[in-house]
Amino acid sequence: MSNRAAIRYAKAVLDQANEANISEVVFGDMKSVEATIAGSKELRNVLQSPIIKGEDKKQALIKIFEGNSDVTKGLIEILTANKRINLLGGVASSFVSLYNEGKGVKVAHVTTAVSLSEDLETQVLAKVKEMTGSDNVTLVNKIDETILGGFILRVGDLQYNASIANQLSNLRRAFK
């Protein structure tokens, strides 16, 4: 859900965090902001609402993220001042991606019908490390019951679809 403006803000925040030597702290803040916004439909609605004043949105966000760094709070203030507070989730997501890219961390997205067990997660991480040749891999698990079973693994622009839904779809096409 990142757009150009969100990426530009994220780059600016990353530069500011690097200058202040607190990029890891801000990375934690941005992961928290991203998860909070993604997990709360009400918060997303508030950020998108043209009826709620920007200052009220800013005060709510400062209260929600009061334990975060000054860089994160500054981002909230800048986005409010520029009437772009609705981009906060996209900026946080872009920041996480840029930070990981800068550190050489590969992010693997695994979609499953049920949550991964520790044993299965370890196996998937080993497979991703083998595929990418990188030891620095983070695993993000998304649950989607519509795939029925199996998994879909996406690393960068590579995708491996071993879902039951995909196999059934292939069978349907073969019979037609």
Side-chain angles (χ1 to χ4, degrees), residues 2-3 22 37 43 45-46 54 58 63 76 84 88 96 119-120 128 132-133 136 138 150 154 167 171 174:
S2 296
N3 62 27
I22 58 168
I37 292 173
L43 183 56
N45 289 340
V46 166
K58 179 178 104 175
K63 196 73 156 168
I76 292 169
R84 293 288 190 106
L88 183 60
V96 169
D119 184 42
L120 198 54
V128 171
T132 62
N136 207 353
T138 303
R154 192 169 43 87
Q167 292 172 8
L171 275 173

Side-chain angles (χ1 to χ4, degrees), residues 47-166:
L47 293 177
Q48 297 295 330
S49 174
I51 297 169
I52 301 170
K53 294 179 186 169
E55 190 60 33
D56 293 339
K57 293 177 187 180
K58 179 178 104 175
Q59 293 305 319
L61 290 168
I62 294 291
K63 196 73 156 168
I64 292 169
F65 301 113
E66 67 185 336
N68 289 358
S69 67
D70 290 339
V71 172
T72 304
K73 291 175 185 173
L75 171 65
I76 292 169
E77 291 185 20
I78 291 289
L79 288 173
T80 303
N82 293 342
K83 296 181 177 24
R84 293 288 190 106
I85 197 64
N86 60 321
L87 294 178
L88 183 60
V91 173
S93 178
S94 297
F95 182 94
V96 169
S97 296
L98 290 170
Y99 181 87
N100 283 334
E101 189 178 301
K103 296 287 184 184
V105 175
K106 300 279 184 183
V107 179
H109 297 272
V110 180
T111 305
T112 56
V114 295
S115 62
L116 289 175
S117 66
E118 274 188 47
D119 184 42
L120 198 54
E121 189 173 322
T122 305
Q123 290 175 358
V124 171
L125 269 174
K127 186 65 177 171
V128 171
K129 288 177 182 179
E130 178 186 314
M131 282 173 51
T132 62
S134 173
D135 286 337
N136 207 353
V137 178
T138 303
L139 195 63
V140 176
N141 184 219
K142 178 183 173 194
I143 298 171
D144 180 3
E145 287 136 11
T146 62
I147 69 168
L148 304 176
F151 64 93
I152 301 171
L153 175 63
R154 192 169 43 87
V155 182
D157 58 352
L158 299 173
Q159 180 169 313
Y160 179 71
N161 191 340
S163 67
I164 303 293
N166 184 50

